[in-house]
Amino acid sequence: MLGTVKASPNFNASADAEVLQKAMKGLGTDEDAILQLLTARSNAQRQEIKNTYKTLFGKDLIDDLKGELGGKFETLIVALMTPPIAYDVTSLRNAIKGAGTDEKVLVEILSSRTPEQVKDIIAAYRQEYDDDLEEDVCGDTSGHFKRLLVILLQANRQKGIQEGNIEADAQALFKAGEEKFGTDEQSFVTILGNRSAEHLRKVFDAYMKMSGYEMEESIQRETSGPLRDLLLAVVKCARSVPAYFAETLYYAMKGAGTDDNTLIRVMASRCEVDMMDIRNEFRRMFACSLHSMIKGDTGGDYRKALLLLCGGDDA
């Protein structure tokens, strides 16, 4: 797994804090200086800059950035300044507590994060809001969609491949969906929520042999609404997390209008994790590069910063 954003080798938090302060001082803001610097530092280094900034100037760096910047560019820069777990926690909180539930955010974060990350998110959520994430999710969702989210929040996926269960799991999924009238969602939820990614990949192969369908095709046909979105995300992440994000980015930008919230969330949260892999998958799956699509779909400093997070063009 390779990110595009790496720690700066000759890092000096004080020098960086000075550059940022200068960029925001007086009339006008030097946005270019801000975005060039922050996209060339790791998240851990940005946290050090934030601490040093307060020590040197007695002010909060994020507050200052918010005061000077605006719009989507500001949202992206603030995302980059937030530690990864805290960023997920805030995203989930806003998804639950905002007007209506933003299922897309619940689906994306809970299907793609590792069990360790999910445990950290739950602990940080409790510390930040003195609330139980599972209770909050349950209060805002229902049915099998809720059940699968609860399973994912247990962060208890089995490890490795249970050779003896591959056929039985494929058979159970086949019986639950394609073979009967109506769908037994519970089998889908239990199996897809609890087996390891490598085990599920074997189950999907067995399912294909048995039914003649890809798992995703059956889910598309047999389920609907948020449950369908969550099941598809879980299946796609079991196959390949970078491919899942490549597809998420593509559909955030495809067609009229851009889903900037998704674009920002994915670019900010994956640039240090697997952005190179996402780019490779993107190039493989679609007729263009991630770089060219961002370039054609965004503008201004926002575009400049996103392209720096993307790294290069795979034309």
Side-chain angles (χ1 to χ4, degrees), residues 138-261:
C138 284
D140 235 37
T141 57
S142 61
H144 286 93
F145 177 59
K146 171 171 93 175
R147 288 184 201 177
L148 182 47
L149 289 171
V150 169
I151 291 175
L152 296 174
L153 283 166
Q154 304 316 299
N156 245 337
R157 265 190 199 281
Q158 295 161 354
K159 303 266 192 287
I161 298 171
Q162 274 82 39
E163 288 295 345
N165 291 343
I166 294 168
E167 282 299 317
D169 282 349
Q171 192 76 50
L173 290 169
F174 183 53
K175 281 204 164 67
E178 293 293 346
E179 212 180 56
K180 65 193 277 282
F181 183 72
T183 308
D184 167 19
E185 283 105 350
Q186 191 61 55
S187 297
F188 280 86
V189 162
T190 301
I191 292 171
L192 296 175
N194 282 295
R195 307 290 189 262
S196 72
E198 43 296 28
H199 180 85
L200 286 174
R201 288 195 290 272
K202 299 236 180 218
V203 172
F204 301 156
D205 290 344
Y207 182 87
M208 177 75 189
K209 283 200 187 82
M210 194 176 290
S211 68
Y213 296 113
E214 291 288 10
M215 195 70 242
E216 291 90 332
E217 294 177 82
S218 292
I219 291 170
Q220 283 282 11
R221 246 202 321 275
E222 302 286 331
T223 60
S224 61
L227 175 64
R228 174 202 281 170
D229 296 337
L230 182 56
L231 288 168
L232 285 173
V234 167
V235 169
K236 285 169 183 173
C237 286
R239 289 196 195 271
S240 160
V241 171
Y244 166 71
F245 280 117
E247 203 176 324
T248 302
L249 286 167
Y250 180 78
Y251 288 108
M253 292 184 279
K254 185 185 178 292
T258 303
D259 177 357
D260 288 294
N261 289 335

Side-chain angles (χ1 to χ4, degrees), residues 87-105:
Y87 185 63
D88 283 350
V89 164
T90 313
S91 301
L92 288 167
R93 180 72 170 191
N94 293 340
I96 296 166
K97 296 292 179 191
T101 310
D102 190 346
E103 280 105 357
K104 191 182 280 182
V105 176

Side-chain angles (χ1 to χ4, degrees), residues 33-60:
I34 294 170
L35 71 89
Q36 294 289 347
L37 190 146
L38 293 178
T39 57
R41 304 291 182 271
S42 68
N43 193 289
Q45 288 176 331
R46 292 182 209 120
Q47 303 315 314
E48 282 190 60
I49 296 169
K50 185 174 177 280
N51 296 337
T52 305
Y53 189 92
K54 190 168 265 184
T55 303
L56 291 176
F57 308 114
K59 294 191 295 182
D60 185 85

Side-chain angles (χ1 to χ4, degrees), residues 110-166:
L110 295 178
S111 60
S112 66
R113 303 303 188 253
T114 65
E116 291 66 40
Q117 287 169 328
V118 172
K119 287 180 176 138
D120 290 345
I121 288 167
I122 291 168
Y125 188 95
R126 180 180 295 281
Q127 184 160 15
E128 183 64 30
Y129 303 112
D130 200 19
D131 277 332
D132 185 303
L133 177 56
E134 188 186 314
E135 276 176 28
D136 284 355
V137 165
C138 284
D140 235 37
T141 57
S142 61
H144 286 93
F145 177 59
K146 171 171 93 175
R147 288 184 201 177
L148 182 47
L149 289 171
V150 169
I151 291 175
L152 296 174
L153 283 166
Q154 304 316 299
N156 245 337
R157 265 190 199 281
Q158 295 161 354
K159 303 266 192 287
I161 298 171
Q162 274 82 39
E163 288 295 345
N165 291 343
I166 294 168

